[in-house]
Every structure is written in structure tokens, then in C-alpha cells.
């Protein structure tokens, strides 16, 4: 079955530690995205990548880093510089090719990782 | 600037019809999406509009007016499982800067 996986579902870390969240997709999508969701704040874009070995900062990139060495994988590192890292992190992917009528290049989301920093 | 507005909360009764509005001001426009998100879960795609008019998909319909920067999601024959947050998102940008601009979501409570 094709889809996006994120692991783990729940993650606990001590303050000051870096932590890496994994995101893997087997949908053959070129584009991948990382969002952060806090209660009442909607989805905020952290980083995105339209192609392997290239990525752009989103609206709240400070304190985060990413890599895109493989098409299938887009890991996110939450560094100790991120002041309020406790949040629900969502990874998504989408196709970027010209879409036929039946496809809209919509973003497909992984199940999310809930990170709590103690 | 880029801005998407939706009502924060709505309530409706099981079996009724509800309309969730979304207005947007973005620097570019390449389609508008509606997603559904249940508490603690990931968003799931509901509908897409890029041309003016109504798109119908079972109990869900979505409307777009590009000249007014306006969309709505219409949910018919409401069921309890429709209680969720509904997110409006506009796709803007081009090439490597293509991304979605998200509204804050409308939390819909369906009462018996």
C-alpha cells in the first residue's frame, strides 16, 4: 500500500536535546513538506522540498533543519535552538507533475508525531 | 500579505446542512483545497476548486469565486462523524516555491 509514514507517533525528549523526526513516502512524490500544528494555530509550514537535494524555508524555520538526500525521505531535526518545540508535527507529500483532471496534486499527510519536550 | 479567513467554530444538528465560508487574499492563486481533520489525526483531502463554480462530491460540495476571493464548503445530511475541523488552503507560488497557504480551520460540532 502506498502512503506516508512518520515515526514515532509520540516522542518525549529532555530540554536541550536535538531530536530527529522521520518521514518516509512510497508515493513517488517529488514534493515533501513539514508542518507544525499547535492548538488554535492551524498548520504552519516549517520547511518544504520540491526536488531531491533542494529545500526551502517555510514560515517558521528557525530552530529546525532538514535534509532531502533521497526522494522517499525528508527527516526533520528539532534543535535545541527551537524555543517551544512541544507540538504536533505533520509531514506531507504531493505530486508536482501536471495533473490530469482526476488528480489535483493534493498534499497527502502522514499520521503525525506528537513531540513533548520535558 | 497573504491571508485566509474562516469562522473559528460552528455548530449544527444531525441531518441538517451547514456551509463553511472561506475568504482569501494571496499573492498568487493556483487552486483552493478543503481538508477535514479529526482531533489528534492528520488532515484528509476533501475537495479542490480551481475554476469558478460548484464541485459536488457526494454529501460534500465546494464552491469558488475567484473574483471575490471566496469559497465555501457545503455539508449535507450531517452525521455525527462530521464533527471535525475543516481547513481551507490556497495553493500559490510557482516552481520550487509552490506551497499551500492554510486557514486556521473551522471546528464543526454536530449535535444529535
Amino acid at each position: 500500500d502506498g502512503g506516508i509514514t512518520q515515526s514515532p507517533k509520540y516522542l518525549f525528549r529532555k530540554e536541550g536535546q536535538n531530536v530527529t523526526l522521520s518521514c518516509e513516502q512510497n508515493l513517488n512524490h517529488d514534493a515533501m513538506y513539514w508542518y507544525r500544528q499547535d492548538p488554535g494555530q492551524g498548520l504552519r509550514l516549517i520547511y518544504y522540498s520540491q526536488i531531491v537535494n533542494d529545500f526551502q524555508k517555510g514560515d517558521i524555520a528557525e530552530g529546525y533543519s532538514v535534509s532531502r538526500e533521497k526522494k522517499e525521505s525528508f527527516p526533520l531535526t528539532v534543535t535545541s535552538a527551537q524555543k517551544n518545540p512541544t507540538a504536533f508535527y505533520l509531514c506531507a507529500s504531493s505530486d508536482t507533475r501536471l495533473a490530469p483532471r482526476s488528480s489535483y496534486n493534493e498534499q497527502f499527510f502522514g499520521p503525525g508525531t506528537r513531540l513533548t519536550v520535558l | 500579505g497573504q491571508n485566509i479567513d474562516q469562522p473559528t467554530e460552528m455548530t449544527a444538528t444531525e441531518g441538517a446542512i451547514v456551509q463553511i465560508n472561506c475568504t482569501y487574499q494571496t499573492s498568487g492563486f493556483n487552486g483552493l483545497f478543503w481538508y477535514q481533520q479529526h482531533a489528534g489525526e492528520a488532515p484528509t483531502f476533501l475537495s479542490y476548486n480551481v475554476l469558478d463554480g460548484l464541485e459536488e462530491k457526494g454529501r460534500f460540495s465546494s464552491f469558488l469565486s475567484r473574483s471575490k476571493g471566496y469559497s465555501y464548503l457545503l455539508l449535507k445530511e450531517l452525521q455525527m462523524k462530521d464533527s471535525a475541523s475543516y481547513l481551507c488552503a490556497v495553493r500559490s507560488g510557482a516552481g520550487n516555491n509552490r506551497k499551500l497557504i492554510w486557514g486556521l480551520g473551522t471546528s464543526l460540532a454536530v449535535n444529535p
Side-chain angles (χ1 to χ4, degrees):
Chain A
D1 286 330
I4 304 179
T5 57
Q6 292 184 245
S7 60
K9 193 169 177 63
Y10 298 96
L11 189 56
F12 297 87
R13 278 294 181 270
K14 290 184 179 178
E15 195 172 343
Q17 289 181 334
N18 290 358
V19 60
T20 297
L21 311 183
S22 93
C23 177
E24 304 278 332
Q25 54 96 2
N26 61 4
L27 298 166
N28 199 32
H29 286 167
D30 286 311
M32 297 187 75
Y33 311 82
W34 272 106
Y35 294 96
R36 169 183 173 139
Q37 189 172 37
D38 297 280
Q41 297 245 10
L43 294 174
R44 292 189 289 168
L45 184 63
I46 305 173
Y47 269 99
Y48 61 110
S49 168
Q50 299 286 335
I51 197 169
V52 174
N53 292 322
D54 187 42
F55 49 82
Q56 284 75 41
K57 291 182 179 180
D59 301 316
I60 55 163
E62 185 175 349
Y64 299 97
S65 65
V66 292
S67 62
R68 187 84 189 277
E69 296 174 2
K70 296 188 300 182
K71 188 175 186 177
E72 303 80 19
S73 178
F74 191 41
L76 173 75
T77 297
V78 185
T79 75
S80 56
Q82 168 49 233
K83 291 184 172 55
N84 297 298
T86 294
F88 186 43
Y89 290 88
L90 286 159
C91 179
S93 73
S94 68
D95 204 346
T96 57
R97 293 167 293 178
L98 284 175
R101 184 65 180 87
S102 60
S103 170
Y104 311 115
N105 293 150
E106 68 269 30
Q107 291 186 12
F108 293 84
F109 285 83
T113 292
R114 195 166 294 279
L115 173 66
T116 302
V117 175
L118 306 169
Chain B
Q2 314 223 71
N3 195 49
I4 296 183
D5 286 317
Q6 310 177 229
T8 304
E9 294 177 340
M10 298 183 73
T11 54
T13 304
E14 193 174 13
I17 299 173
V18 71
Q19 177 175 312
I20 302 174
N21 295 326
C22 171
T23 58
Y24 64 89
Q25 288 179 305
T26 56
S27 57
F29 180 85
N30 192 17
L32 185 143
F33 295 84
W34 284 96
Y35 281 78
Q36 180 191 60
Q37 186 179 24
H38 284 100
E41 297 182 9
T44 55
F45 168 74
L46 285 179
S47 70
Y48 173 73
N49 296 71
V50 67
L51 299 175
D52 290 352
L54 190 68
E55 293 282 344
E56 297 188 79
K57 209 176 186 182
R59 293 190 299 117
F60 291 57
S61 304
S62 56
F63 171 84
L64 175 68
S65 169
R66 288 172 297 170
S67 62
K68 295 181 179 177
Y70 168 70
S71 173
Y72 68 72
L73 179 69
L74 194 70
L75 291 75
K76 303 175 188 173
E77 301 168 16
L78 281 172
Q79 302 174 10
M80 299 297 289
K81 67 177 182 179
D82 297 329
S83 292
S85 184
Y86 291 86
L87 309 174
C88 173
V90 170
R91 181 162 57 199
S92 68
N96 286 353
N97 287 321
R98 210 173 195 206
K99 58 184 180 180
L100 290 182
I101 312 299
W102 293 85
L104 296 183
T106 299
S107 180
L108 174 66
V110 179
N111 299 319

